[in-house]
Amino acid sequence: MEISDELLCLFSADVTAEDDRYIVEVPRREVETGAIEAGGTYRVALISADIDGEADESTDTETPPDQPQPPVEPGETRYVEIEDIGKQGDGIARVERGYVIIVPGADIGERVKIEVTEVKSNFAVGEIIDEDI
């Protein structure tokens, strides 16, 4: 299955019936993290939990199955642009769906090659492996 780069968030939800309509509830964390805004209009894609006749199996990650999976993996190499500096002076880059990668030693405006060293549900840490990009 191909997933668009325009994907803002990904979550599991039940469809419930209410009077003459059906409702898919968006988890509060998607609005609180800034992935989407309350009152906004979005395209919605629905994917069956039963893919190719097989039940959806959970993987061993730190992200619960009802939350979107991080778009990076430990050991992955990426080129990122530093958009901001965090409270502790580390560079901040954003990738797919606004996912944050913290890059110690990087400055705003730098484009660096990093290796992802740590991945959490809402951020990752990357180590600079090449500054001359």
Side-chain angles (χ1 to χ4, degrees), residues 80-91:
V80 297
E81 184 169 340
I82 306 303
E83 300 175 9
D84 205 352
I85 297 294
K87 292 179 183 176
Q88 304 198 353
D90 297 324

Side-chain angles (χ1 to χ4, degrees), residues 100-114:
V100 170
I101 300 179
I102 298 169
V103 183
D107 293 320
I108 292 178
E110 277 189 296
R111 184 159 168 78
V112 294
K113 182 177 180 183
I114 63 163

